[in-house]
Short mmCIF file of all heavy atoms in Angstrom, two decimals:
data_model
loop_
_atom_site.label_atom_id
_atom_site.label_comp_id
_atom_site.label_asym_id
_atom_site.label_seq_id
_atom_site.Cartn_x
_atom_site.Cartn_y
_atom_site.Cartn_z
N GLU A 1 48.48 -57.59 53.31
CA GLU A 1 49.12 -58.70 54.05
C GLU A 1 49.18 -59.96 53.20
O GLU A 1 50.19 -60.66 53.16
CB GLU A 1 48.42 -58.96 55.38
CG GLU A 1 48.59 -57.83 56.39
CD GLU A 1 50.05 -57.48 56.65
OE1 GLU A 1 50.88 -58.40 56.87
OE2 GLU A 1 50.37 -56.28 56.63
N ASP A 2 48.09 -60.26 52.48
CA ASP A 2 48.08 -61.41 51.57
C ASP A 2 49.13 -61.24 50.48
O ASP A 2 49.87 -62.16 50.14
CB ASP A 2 46.70 -61.58 50.92
CG ASP A 2 45.61 -61.96 51.91
OD1 ASP A 2 45.94 -62.42 53.02
OD2 ASP A 2 44.42 -61.80 51.55
N LEU A 3 49.18 -60.03 49.91
CA LEU A 3 50.13 -59.72 48.85
C LEU A 3 51.57 -59.90 49.33
O LEU A 3 52.40 -60.48 48.63
CB LEU A 3 49.90 -58.29 48.36
CG LEU A 3 50.88 -57.78 47.31
CD1 LEU A 3 50.46 -58.27 45.92
CD2 LEU A 3 50.93 -56.27 47.32
N LYS A 4 51.87 -59.40 50.53
CA LYS A 4 53.23 -59.52 51.08
C LYS A 4 53.69 -60.97 51.13
O LYS A 4 54.80 -61.29 50.71
CB LYS A 4 53.29 -58.96 52.51
CG LYS A 4 53.33 -57.48 52.62
CD LYS A 4 53.39 -57.10 54.10
CE LYS A 4 53.38 -55.61 54.28
NZ LYS A 4 53.41 -55.23 55.71
N ILE A 5 52.83 -61.82 51.63
CA ILE A 5 53.20 -63.24 51.77
C ILE A 5 53.35 -63.90 50.41
O ILE A 5 54.33 -64.60 50.15
CB ILE A 5 52.16 -63.98 52.64
CG1 ILE A 5 52.17 -63.43 54.07
CG2 ILE A 5 52.44 -65.49 52.64
CD1 ILE A 5 51.00 -63.87 54.92
N ALA A 6 52.40 -63.65 49.51
CA ALA A 6 52.46 -64.26 48.17
C ALA A 6 53.70 -63.79 47.40
O ALA A 6 54.38 -64.60 46.76
CB ALA A 6 51.18 -63.94 47.39
N VAL A 7 54.01 -62.51 47.46
CA VAL A 7 55.20 -61.98 46.77
C VAL A 7 56.46 -62.57 47.38
O VAL A 7 57.39 -62.95 46.66
CB VAL A 7 55.22 -60.43 46.81
CG1 VAL A 7 56.59 -59.89 46.40
CG2 VAL A 7 54.14 -59.87 45.90
N SER A 8 56.51 -62.67 48.70
CA SER A 8 57.68 -63.27 49.37
C SER A 8 57.89 -64.71 48.93
O SER A 8 59.02 -65.12 48.62
CB SER A 8 57.52 -63.22 50.89
OG SER A 8 57.49 -61.89 51.34
N GLU A 9 56.82 -65.49 48.90
CA GLU A 9 56.92 -66.90 48.50
C GLU A 9 57.38 -67.04 47.06
O GLU A 9 58.28 -67.81 46.74
CB GLU A 9 55.58 -67.62 48.70
CG GLU A 9 55.19 -67.82 50.14
CD GLU A 9 56.08 -68.81 50.88
OE1 GLU A 9 56.70 -69.69 50.23
OE2 GLU A 9 56.16 -68.71 52.11
N ALA A 10 56.74 -66.31 46.15
CA ALA A 10 57.06 -66.43 44.73
C ALA A 10 58.47 -65.91 44.43
O ALA A 10 59.19 -66.51 43.62
CB ALA A 10 56.02 -65.69 43.89
N THR A 11 58.87 -64.82 45.07
CA THR A 11 60.22 -64.28 44.85
C THR A 11 61.26 -65.23 45.39
O THR A 11 62.29 -65.48 44.73
CB THR A 11 60.35 -62.88 45.50
OG1 THR A 11 59.34 -62.02 44.96
CG2 THR A 11 61.72 -62.29 45.24
N THR A 12 61.04 -65.78 46.57
CA THR A 12 61.98 -66.75 47.14
C THR A 12 62.11 -67.97 46.24
O THR A 12 63.23 -68.42 45.96
CB THR A 12 61.52 -67.17 48.55
OG1 THR A 12 61.48 -66.01 49.39
CG2 THR A 12 62.46 -68.21 49.15
N ASN A 13 60.99 -68.49 45.75
CA ASN A 13 61.05 -69.65 44.84
C ASN A 13 61.85 -69.32 43.59
O ASN A 13 62.64 -70.14 43.11
CB ASN A 13 59.64 -70.11 44.45
CG ASN A 13 58.93 -70.84 45.58
OD1 ASN A 13 59.53 -71.21 46.58
ND2 ASN A 13 57.64 -71.03 45.41
N ALA A 14 61.66 -68.12 43.03
CA ALA A 14 62.37 -67.73 41.81
C ALA A 14 63.88 -67.61 42.08
O ALA A 14 64.70 -68.07 41.29
CB ALA A 14 61.81 -66.41 41.28
N ILE A 15 64.23 -67.00 43.19
CA ILE A 15 65.65 -66.85 43.55
C ILE A 15 66.28 -68.22 43.76
O ILE A 15 67.39 -68.49 43.26
CB ILE A 15 65.79 -65.95 44.79
CG1 ILE A 15 65.50 -64.50 44.40
CG2 ILE A 15 67.18 -66.08 45.41
CD1 ILE A 15 65.37 -63.54 45.57
N LEU A 16 65.61 -69.10 44.46
CA LEU A 16 66.16 -70.45 44.69
C LEU A 16 66.31 -71.22 43.38
O LEU A 16 67.26 -71.98 43.21
CB LEU A 16 65.28 -71.21 45.69
CG LEU A 16 65.27 -70.63 47.11
CD1 LEU A 16 64.30 -71.42 47.99
CD2 LEU A 16 66.66 -70.61 47.72
N ALA A 17 65.38 -71.00 42.44
CA ALA A 17 65.49 -71.65 41.13
C ALA A 17 66.77 -71.19 40.42
O ALA A 17 67.46 -72.00 39.81
CB ALA A 17 64.27 -71.33 40.27
N HIS A 18 67.09 -69.93 40.52
CA HIS A 18 68.33 -69.42 39.93
C HIS A 18 69.55 -69.98 40.63
O HIS A 18 70.52 -70.38 39.99
CB HIS A 18 68.36 -67.89 40.00
CG HIS A 18 67.57 -67.22 38.93
ND1 HIS A 18 67.96 -66.04 38.36
CD2 HIS A 18 66.42 -67.56 38.32
CE1 HIS A 18 67.07 -65.68 37.44
NE2 HIS A 18 66.13 -66.59 37.42
N GLN A 19 69.51 -70.03 41.94
CA GLN A 19 70.66 -70.52 42.70
C GLN A 19 70.94 -71.99 42.44
O GLN A 19 72.10 -72.40 42.42
CB GLN A 19 70.45 -70.28 44.20
CG GLN A 19 70.52 -68.82 44.58
CD GLN A 19 70.24 -68.58 46.04
OE1 GLN A 19 69.79 -69.47 46.78
NE2 GLN A 19 70.49 -67.37 46.49
N ARG A 20 69.90 -72.78 42.21
CA ARG A 20 70.09 -74.22 41.96
C ARG A 20 70.90 -74.49 40.70
O ARG A 20 71.53 -75.53 40.58
CB ARG A 20 68.74 -74.93 41.87
CG ARG A 20 68.17 -75.31 43.21
CD ARG A 20 67.01 -76.29 43.08
NE ARG A 20 65.89 -75.71 42.37
CZ ARG A 20 64.96 -74.93 42.92
NH1 ARG A 20 65.04 -74.61 44.19
NH2 ARG A 20 63.97 -74.46 42.19
N VAL A 21 70.85 -73.56 39.75
CA VAL A 21 71.57 -73.77 38.49
C VAL A 21 72.64 -72.71 38.26
O VAL A 21 73.09 -72.49 37.13
CB VAL A 21 70.60 -73.83 37.28
CG1 VAL A 21 69.72 -75.07 37.36
CG2 VAL A 21 69.75 -72.57 37.19
N ASP A 22 73.07 -72.04 39.33
CA ASP A 22 74.12 -71.03 39.27
C ASP A 22 73.84 -69.94 38.25
O ASP A 22 74.74 -69.52 37.51
CB ASP A 22 75.48 -71.67 38.97
CG ASP A 22 76.11 -72.26 40.21
OD1 ASP A 22 75.77 -71.79 41.32
OD2 ASP A 22 76.94 -73.17 40.08
N ARG A 23 72.62 -69.48 38.19
CA ARG A 23 72.28 -68.36 37.30
C ARG A 23 72.50 -67.06 38.07
O ARG A 23 72.07 -66.92 39.20
CB ARG A 23 70.81 -68.43 36.88
CG ARG A 23 70.52 -69.56 35.94
CD ARG A 23 70.23 -69.05 34.53
NE ARG A 23 70.31 -70.09 33.54
CZ ARG A 23 69.39 -71.02 33.33
NH1 ARG A 23 68.33 -71.06 34.07
NH2 ARG A 23 69.56 -71.90 32.37
N ASP A 24 73.17 -66.12 37.43
CA ASP A 24 73.37 -64.83 38.07
C ASP A 24 72.49 -63.74 37.47
O ASP A 24 72.58 -62.59 37.83
CB ASP A 24 74.84 -64.41 38.05
CG ASP A 24 75.39 -64.29 36.64
OD1 ASP A 24 74.66 -64.57 35.67
OD2 ASP A 24 76.57 -63.90 36.51
N ARG A 25 71.62 -64.13 36.54
CA ARG A 25 70.67 -63.17 35.98
C ARG A 25 69.65 -62.78 37.03
O ARG A 25 69.30 -63.57 37.90
CB ARG A 25 69.94 -63.78 34.78
CG ARG A 25 70.85 -63.90 33.56
CD ARG A 25 70.05 -64.37 32.38
NE ARG A 25 70.55 -65.71 32.07
CZ ARG A 25 69.95 -66.56 31.30
NH1 ARG A 25 68.80 -66.27 30.75
NH2 ARG A 25 70.48 -67.73 31.05
N PRO A 26 69.13 -61.55 36.94
CA PRO A 26 68.16 -61.13 37.96
C PRO A 26 66.81 -61.81 37.80
O PRO A 26 66.44 -62.27 36.72
CB PRO A 26 68.03 -59.62 37.71
CG PRO A 26 68.44 -59.43 36.29
CD PRO A 26 69.45 -60.51 35.98
N VAL A 27 66.10 -61.85 38.91
CA VAL A 27 64.68 -62.24 38.91
C VAL A 27 63.92 -60.96 38.59
O VAL A 27 64.24 -59.89 39.10
CB VAL A 27 64.29 -62.80 40.30
CG1 VAL A 27 62.78 -62.97 40.42
CG2 VAL A 27 65.01 -64.12 40.55
N VAL A 28 62.91 -61.06 37.74
CA VAL A 28 62.17 -59.88 37.28
C VAL A 28 60.76 -59.89 37.88
O VAL A 28 60.05 -60.89 37.79
CB VAL A 28 62.08 -59.84 35.74
CG1 VAL A 28 61.28 -58.63 35.27
CG2 VAL A 28 63.48 -59.85 35.13
N LEU A 29 60.39 -58.76 38.49
CA LEU A 29 59.04 -58.56 39.01
C LEU A 29 58.40 -57.44 38.21
O LEU A 29 59.02 -56.38 38.02
CB LEU A 29 59.06 -58.16 40.49
CG LEU A 29 59.55 -59.22 41.47
CD1 LEU A 29 61.04 -59.16 41.65
CD2 LEU A 29 58.85 -59.06 42.80
N MET A 30 57.21 -57.68 37.71
CA MET A 30 56.43 -56.66 37.01
C MET A 30 55.11 -56.53 37.76
O MET A 30 54.50 -57.55 38.08
CB MET A 30 56.20 -57.08 35.55
CG MET A 30 57.49 -57.17 34.75
SD MET A 30 57.30 -58.07 33.20
CE MET A 30 57.36 -59.77 33.79
N PHE A 31 54.69 -55.31 38.03
CA PHE A 31 53.50 -55.16 38.86
C PHE A 31 52.84 -53.81 38.63
O PHE A 31 53.47 -52.86 38.19
CB PHE A 31 53.85 -55.33 40.34
CG PHE A 31 55.02 -54.48 40.78
CD1 PHE A 31 54.81 -53.23 41.33
CD2 PHE A 31 56.32 -54.95 40.64
CE1 PHE A 31 55.88 -52.46 41.73
CE2 PHE A 31 57.40 -54.19 41.04
CZ PHE A 31 57.17 -52.93 41.58
N GLY A 32 51.54 -53.80 38.93
CA GLY A 32 50.78 -52.56 38.83
C GLY A 32 49.30 -52.83 38.75
O GLY A 32 48.86 -53.97 38.64
N PRO A 33 48.51 -51.75 38.82
CA PRO A 33 47.05 -51.89 38.74
C PRO A 33 46.61 -52.14 37.31
O PRO A 33 47.23 -51.67 36.35
CB PRO A 33 46.54 -50.53 39.23
CG PRO A 33 47.65 -49.58 38.91
CD PRO A 33 48.92 -50.36 39.03
N ARG A 34 45.55 -52.91 37.18
CA ARG A 34 44.93 -53.15 35.88
C ARG A 34 43.45 -53.35 36.12
O ARG A 34 43.05 -54.32 36.76
CB ARG A 34 45.54 -54.39 35.23
CG ARG A 34 44.98 -54.63 33.85
CD ARG A 34 45.76 -55.69 33.15
NE ARG A 34 45.20 -55.87 31.81
CZ ARG A 34 45.22 -56.99 31.17
NH1 ARG A 34 45.78 -58.05 31.71
NH2 ARG A 34 44.69 -57.08 29.99
N GLU A 35 42.66 -52.43 35.60
CA GLU A 35 41.21 -52.43 35.81
C GLU A 35 40.94 -52.48 37.31
O GLU A 35 41.37 -51.59 38.03
CB GLU A 35 40.55 -53.54 35.02
CG GLU A 35 40.75 -53.38 33.52
CD GLU A 35 40.28 -54.57 32.72
OE1 GLU A 35 39.60 -55.45 33.27
OE2 GLU A 35 40.58 -54.59 31.51
N ASP A 36 40.25 -53.50 37.80
CA ASP A 36 39.94 -53.54 39.24
C ASP A 36 40.83 -54.54 39.98
O ASP A 36 40.45 -55.05 41.02
CB ASP A 36 38.46 -53.87 39.45
CG ASP A 36 38.09 -55.25 38.95
OD1 ASP A 36 38.89 -55.84 38.19
OD2 ASP A 36 37.01 -55.74 39.31
N GLN A 37 42.01 -54.80 39.44
CA GLN A 37 42.95 -55.74 40.07
C GLN A 37 44.33 -55.13 40.18
O GLN A 37 44.68 -54.20 39.46
CB GLN A 37 43.07 -57.02 39.24
CG GLN A 37 41.81 -57.82 39.14
CD GLN A 37 42.04 -59.11 38.38
OE1 GLN A 37 42.97 -59.24 37.61
NE2 GLN A 37 41.18 -60.08 38.61
N PHE A 38 45.10 -55.68 41.09
CA PHE A 38 46.53 -55.39 41.14
C PHE A 38 47.21 -56.68 40.72
O PHE A 38 46.92 -57.74 41.27
CB PHE A 38 46.96 -54.99 42.56
CG PHE A 38 48.35 -54.45 42.60
CD1 PHE A 38 48.59 -53.12 42.29
CD2 PHE A 38 49.42 -55.27 42.93
CE1 PHE A 38 49.88 -52.60 42.32
CE2 PHE A 38 50.71 -54.77 42.95
CZ PHE A 38 50.95 -53.43 42.64
N GLU A 39 48.09 -56.59 39.73
CA GLU A 39 48.73 -57.78 39.19
C GLU A 39 50.22 -57.76 39.50
O GLU A 39 50.86 -56.71 39.48
CB GLU A 39 48.53 -57.86 37.67
CG GLU A 39 47.08 -58.02 37.29
CD GLU A 39 46.89 -58.24 35.80
OE1 GLU A 39 47.86 -58.18 35.03
OE2 GLU A 39 45.73 -58.48 35.42
N VAL A 40 50.74 -58.95 39.75
CA VAL A 40 52.17 -59.13 39.99
C VAL A 40 52.62 -60.33 39.17
O VAL A 40 52.01 -61.39 39.24
CB VAL A 40 52.49 -59.40 41.48
CG1 VAL A 40 53.99 -59.55 41.69
CG2 VAL A 40 51.92 -58.31 42.38
N VAL A 41 53.68 -60.13 38.40
CA VAL A 41 54.29 -61.22 37.64
C VAL A 41 55.73 -61.33 38.13
O VAL A 41 56.46 -60.34 38.18
CB VAL A 41 54.27 -60.95 36.12
CG1 VAL A 41 55.02 -62.04 35.37
CG2 VAL A 41 52.83 -60.84 35.63
N ILE A 42 56.12 -62.54 38.51
CA ILE A 42 57.49 -62.80 38.94
C ILE A 42 58.06 -63.85 38.01
O ILE A 42 57.50 -64.94 37.88
CB ILE A 42 57.54 -63.25 40.42
CG1 ILE A 42 56.95 -62.13 41.30
CG2 ILE A 42 58.97 -63.61 40.83
CD1 ILE A 42 56.82 -62.46 42.74
N GLN A 43 59.17 -63.50 37.37
CA GLN A 43 59.73 -64.37 36.34
C GLN A 43 61.18 -64.72 36.66
O GLN A 43 61.98 -63.86 36.99
CB GLN A 43 59.65 -63.67 34.99
CG GLN A 43 60.07 -64.56 33.85
CD GLN A 43 59.65 -63.98 32.51
OE1 GLN A 43 58.76 -63.15 32.43
NE2 GLN A 43 60.29 -64.43 31.47
N ASP A 44 61.47 -66.01 36.53
CA ASP A 44 62.85 -66.47 36.68
C ASP A 44 63.28 -67.18 35.41
O ASP A 44 62.46 -67.45 34.53
CB ASP A 44 63.00 -67.38 37.91
CG ASP A 44 62.28 -68.71 37.79
OD1 ASP A 44 62.61 -69.49 36.87
OD2 ASP A 44 61.39 -68.98 38.61
#
């Protein structure tokens, strides 16, 4: 549940950042387990 909200917020912010400057390039999400953590990177 925490992950869902955090991913939604970060993805929305990234998409809005693209829209503000008319970028049509995709937003990139990279994710997966690493040691004892699950990591998510969202890049705009």
Side-chain angles (χ1 to χ4, degrees):
E1 292 305 313
D2 294 343
L3 176 82
K4 282 180 182 179
I5 295 168
V7 167
S8 295
E9 290 292 335
T11 303
T12 299
N13 285 348
I15 287 170
L16 294 176
H18 279 215
Q19 290 177 349
R20 276 193 297 277
V21 292
D22 279 335
R23 290 251 164 76
D24 60 357
R25 288 186 247 165
V27 169
V28 179
L29 292 88
M30 296 165 280
F31 50 93
R34 183 169 181 210
E35 298 172 11
D36 64 345
Q37 296 183 338
F38 190 83
E39 296 186 355
V40 181
V41 175
I42 300 175
Q43 186 165 340
D44 67 61

